[in-house]
Structures are given as structure tokens and as C-alpha cells.
């Protein structure tokens, strides 16, 4: 009996690294149902809560990145890094011994570095999937010896050594662009005759965006613009009092396909996966990059979308209630401009991204 093909998928810490790993794994499973997939993440990442809820094979490493800041808490955590590296190294060697992967896929985050390192030392094929326009430290470290680096932005090519980068787009959930607009409007209690502004700052919400929207929401309602607003669970108690006619407030929205479907304009941060979802749905957006993102990658992501005519980029320094409401009103009152942004956004979308990435994975191991 032939031995099952083993795939090791490593990545996590944040949803931006974790969800691509899961999307790639699901596509592999659909193409190679006989294959076995083992996921590797961090005990400190989002995956520590998500993996146990899924019927998957996984391991969690006691690894985390260097903590920023000159404070005792950061120093204490950083002092444990050598110990955590040793424990993670031992655990990964045991995992490789146990499953002997045919290929190792890295989607970023500190949990993906060690599997990629061991695989490349053992001449096991590696594939890296990079979400951001400016590649993370793990991608930059291991790109040269990878079989392929699957990128989402053409601008990323300048940072990848050699010619092994391939533009595929980011893997996102297929159903995200299949939302039904009338159904979505009924779900959220929105008026189909009004323009809808959808605001969200990622799954955790954005304090800055929430504060700005609280400042201008009454002006938006007066302009006959209705609002769907995801605040984040921690911020919800502070902002739920604003809910009412023309403004729907949720701590977290599970039905993102429907939220995108009913949106005429989106205001959000500029995470790579967020932009990939927005463009897959062909939605105009105002992107406000998180200024403290590592390597300023959110600014670079937003810059690429803005350069394509798909979004307006506002930095945190430029952002105010006044500047934001001017941009919102100008876009939502100009149907031709809104359609132009929507068309440019859709042109950036990569609906076959996951399929393309998995093709390169299977090609790397000749199956």
C-alpha cells in the first residue's frame, strides 16, 4: 500500500497568516483527499484557539517574536526567547521525524520560520505564500531557496531574490464574493434605497476608526448615508449606544460575504487579506493603513490599491473627521467615480489565487 502524501503548512500568529494557511490546506484536501495535512502554528497566536475547533492535525510551537518596547514586560518575554527557540527546535525535529513531509508551505509569522529552515536544510521543497506588498522577515529570509514565492502584489517582486516569485493573489474564502445584496440588506435591516457605508478595522476593530466614525456619524445620516459598523468586540460596549435608524452596529460580523454585498463604499484598515477580499468583491474603498504595522506594510498595501485606481489612501496623519466625510460624500454622490473605483477594484481581484498556489505546490513535488 502506497504511503500517504504528507503536507506541512506553517503560519499564524494573526489572521493574516493563519487564514491563508487554512485556505491552502482546504484546497489541497479537495484536490488530494488521500493526502495528509499537518498544520504548525504558535501557542501565542490566534491558531491556539482556532485549531482545536477544527477537525485537523496540528502542532503548536512555544515560539513568539521579539516584543517591542523598552519596558520590563517586553524584556522579560524577550529573555525567554532562546529557551523557546530550543523547545520549538526540538518539537519541530520530532514532527519532521514523525510525518516526513513531501513539501513545506509557509504563510508567514514566526511559527513558519523554523519549519522552512529545517525543510531547506533537508532539501525538502518549500513554497512561501506572501500576503503583503512588502514581504515579511520570514519571506525575505527563506525566499531564495524556496521553489516558489506566491505573491499578491506585483510590487513585491522587487524584494524577492532571483526569479522564483509568481503573482497569484492572496488565498481567500471562495464564498466571500457570493453574498446576495437584497438578502444582506434584510439581514442587517438596511434600506435598499440608500447608499451603504461599511466600516471595519479588522476582526479586533480599530480604536482610531471608531473614534472618527463616532464624530461624524450624524453628518453621514443627515446626508442620507446609512452605516454598517463593525466596532470589534472590546470596543462594542462604548459605541453600541449609537445604533438606531440608519446605523447598524455589530461587535463582530460573521457574515462578511453579506456585509460586502450590501456595501457601496468600504472604510477599513489596509491589511493584505482585507484588500484581497475587498477587490475580489469589486468594492470601492477608503483605506487607512495602521501606522505601526511592521515594515509599514499596510501603507504599501494601500498604496498599491490606490495606484490602481481602486481605493483612496488616507494616512493616520491625514485622517480627521472633516477629511474623511469630504471623501465619503464626494465618492457616494458621484456614481461614475464610484463605478470607476469598483471596476478597478474588481480588476485587482484574484478569484483563482488559492487554486494557482496549490498548483505550484503540487508541481513542486511532481504530483
Amino acid at each position: 500500500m502506497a504511503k500517504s502524501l504528507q503536507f506541512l503548512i506553517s503560519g499564524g500568529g494573526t489572521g493574516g497568516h493563519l487564514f491563508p494557511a487554512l485556505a491552502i490546506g482546504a484546497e489541497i484536501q479537495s484536490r488530494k483527499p488521500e493526502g495528509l495535512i499537518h498544520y504548525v502554528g504558535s501557542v501565542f497566536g490566534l491558531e491556539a484557539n482556532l485549531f482545536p475547533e477544527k477537525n485537523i492535525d496540528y502542532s503548536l510551537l512555544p515560539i513568539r517574536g521579539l516584543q517591542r518596547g523598552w519596558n520590563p514586560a517586553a524584556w522579560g518575554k524577550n529573555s525567554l526567547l532562546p529557551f523557546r527557540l530550543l523547545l520549538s527546535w526540538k518539537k519541530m525535529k520530532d514532527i519532521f521525524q514523525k510525518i516526513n513531509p513531501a513539501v513545506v508551505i509557509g504563510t508567514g509569522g514566526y511559527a513558519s520560520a523554523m519549519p522552512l529552515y529545517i525543510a531547506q536544510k533537508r532539501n525538502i521543497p518549500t513554497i512561501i505564500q506572501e500576503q503583503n506588498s512588502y514581504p515579511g522577515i520570514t519571506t525575505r529570509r527563506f525566499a531564495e531557496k524556496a521553489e516558489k514565492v506566491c505573491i499578491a502584489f506585483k510590487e513585491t517582486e522587487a524584494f524577492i531574490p532571483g526569479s522564483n516569485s509568481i503573482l497569484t493573489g492572496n488565498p481567500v474564502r471562495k464564498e466571500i464574493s457570493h453574498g446576495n445584496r437584497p438578502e444582506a440588506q434584510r439581514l442587517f435591516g438596511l434600506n435598499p434605497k440608500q447608499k451603504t457605508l461599511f466600516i471595519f478595522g479588522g476582526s479586533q476593530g480599530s480604536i482610531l476608526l471608531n473614534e472618527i466614525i463616532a464624530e461624524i456619524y450624524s453628518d453621514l445620516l443627515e446626508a442620507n448615508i446609512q452605516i454598517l459598523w463593525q466596532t470589534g468586540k472590546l470596543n462594542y460596549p462604548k459605541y453600541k449606544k449609537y445604533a438606531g435608524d440608519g446605523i447598524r452596529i455589530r461587535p463582530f460580523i460573521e457574515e462578511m460575504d453579506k456585509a460586502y454585498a450590501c456595501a457601496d463604499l468600504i472604510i477599513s484598515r489596509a491589511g493584505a487579506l482585507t484588500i484581497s477580499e475587498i477587490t475580489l468583491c469589486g468594492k470601492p474603498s477608503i483605506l487607512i493603513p495602521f501606522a505601526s504595522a511592521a515594515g509599514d506594510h499596510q501603507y504599501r498595501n494601500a498604496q498599491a490599491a490606490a495606484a490602481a485606481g481602486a481605493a483612496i489612501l488616507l494616512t493616520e496623519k491625514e485622517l480627521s473627521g472633516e477629511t474623511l466625510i469630504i471623501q465619503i460624500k464626494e465618492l457616494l454622490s458621484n456614481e461614475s467615480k464610484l463605478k470607476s473605483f469598483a471596476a478597478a477594484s474588481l480588476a485587482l481581484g484574484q478569484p483563482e489565487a488559492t487554486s494557482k498556489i496549490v498548483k505550484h505546490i503540487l508541481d513542486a513535488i511532481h504530483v
Side-chain angles (χ1 to χ4, degrees):
M1 183 177 177
K3 190 177 179 181
S4 297
L5 204 59
Q6 301 268 6
F7 299 84
L8 193 152
I9 304 178
S10 58
T14 65
H17 298 307
L18 174 61
F19 295 126
L22 292 170
I24 290 168
E27 180 69 16
I28 291 173
Q29 203 74 77
S30 71
R31 293 203 198 184
K32 296 290 177 183
E34 74 283 5
L36 300 178
I37 300 173
H38 189 90
Y39 294 89
V40 174
S42 166
V43 297
F44 301 103
L46 180 64
E47 58 271 24
N49 294 319
L50 192 60
F51 280 170
E53 297 175 358
K54 296 183 173 290
N55 184 28
I56 59 174
D57 190 34
Y58 70 91
S59 298
L60 297 173
L61 305 179
I63 190 71
R64 73 192 314 167
L66 282 170
Q67 304 298 295
R68 300 177 185 180
W70 299 94
N71 58 73
W75 295 342
K77 290 174 182 176
N78 287 338
S79 69
L80 294 173
L81 185 58
F83 180 64
R84 295 192 188 285
L85 283 169
L86 283 172
L87 285 178
S88 298
W89 173 259
K90 183 180 184 307
K91 188 163 187 175
M92 275 313 310
K93 286 185 71 177
D94 291 342
I95 291 168
F96 270 79
Q97 185 67 29
K98 177 183 176 183
I99 70 171
N100 188 28
V103 61
V104 172
I105 303 118
T107 61
Y110 290 96
S112 69
M114 197 167 289
L116 289 171
Y117 176 78
I118 294 175
Q120 291 185 352
K121 281 288 185 183
R122 298 185 179 191
N123 293 319
I124 295 170
T126 56
I127 300 286
I128 295 173
Q129 193 273 316
E130 174 57 52
Q131 300 88 40
N132 292 294
S133 58
Y134 179 68
I137 188 170
T138 300
T139 296
R140 299 196 306 273
R141 167 66 177 80
F142 297 103
E144 190 170 4
K145 293 184 179 179
E147 303 296 314
K148 289 290 179 186
V149 180
C150 299
I151 59 176
F153 297 89
K154 186 167 180 58
E155 291 81 356
T156 314
E157 291 175 348
F159 306 102
I160 303 296
S163 57
N164 59 345
S165 66
I166 182 79
L167 183 63
T168 58
N170 276 323
V172 297
R173 295 168 288 169
K174 290 179 180 177
E175 66 272 16
I176 205 76
S177 62
H178 296 164
N180 178 280
R181 187 177 175 92
E183 184 184 323
Q185 290 166 334
R186 287 193 296 271
L187 174 70
F188 296 115
L190 296 168
N191 185 343
K193 295 181 179 180
Q194 286 182 268
K195 295 289 189 186
T196 300
L197 181 67
F198 175 34
I199 302 124
F200 70 108
S203 58
Q204 302 302 312
S206 162
I207 292 173
L208 178 62
L209 286 189
N210 287 337
E211 289 175 348
I212 293 289
I213 298 304
E215 180 185 327
I216 66 172
Y217 82 95
S218 58
D219 290 330
L220 293 170
L221 296 180
E222 285 178 15
N224 204 33
I225 298 167
Q226 60 189 342
I227 302 166
L228 177 60
W229 179 6
Q230 178 184 284
T231 61
K233 291 180 180 178
L234 292 179
N235 299 313
Y236 179 69
K238 181 178 179 181
Y239 296 101
K240 64 180 181 180
K241 64 185 177 184
Y242 297 113
D245 288 341
I247 180 166
R248 302 290 182 257
I249 302 179
R250 296 280 190 92
F252 181 75
I253 296 174
E254 294 278 358
E255 312 91 338
M256 283 297 286
D257 58 325
K258 294 180 176 61
Y260 287 132
C262 67
D264 294 289
L265 177 64
I266 294 168
I267 297 176
S268 76
R269 289 300 200 178
L273 281 195
T274 294
I275 293 176
S276 293
E277 290 182 351
I278 289 172
T279 56
L280 188 64
C281 296
K283 296 294 177 175
S285 60
I286 297 173
L287 300 174
I288 301 159
F290 179 47
S292 300
D296 207 17
H297 68 258
Q298 285 210 4
Y299 177 80
R300 296 168 187 259
N301 295 345
Q303 196 174 38
I312 289 172
L313 189 166
L314 281 180
T315 65
E316 289 186 0
K317 287 183 179 179
E318 297 169 324
L319 183 65
S320 68
E322 183 180 358
T323 56
L324 187 57
I325 202 164
I326 287 171
Q327 295 286 3
I328 292 168
K329 287 182 177 179
E330 184 182 325
L331 267 175
L332 289 179
S333 64
N334 188 331
E335 197 64 36
S336 64
K337 192 171 185 179
L338 206 59
K339 287 181 178 177
S340 173
F341 271 64
S345 178
L346 189 62
L348 280 181
Q350 296 276 358
E352 301 301 320
T354 313
S355 178
K356 290 177 182 176
I357 292 164
V358 170
K359 179 183 184 304
H360 289 297
I361 292 168
L362 298 178
D363 286 349
I365 53 177
H366 310 291
V367 296

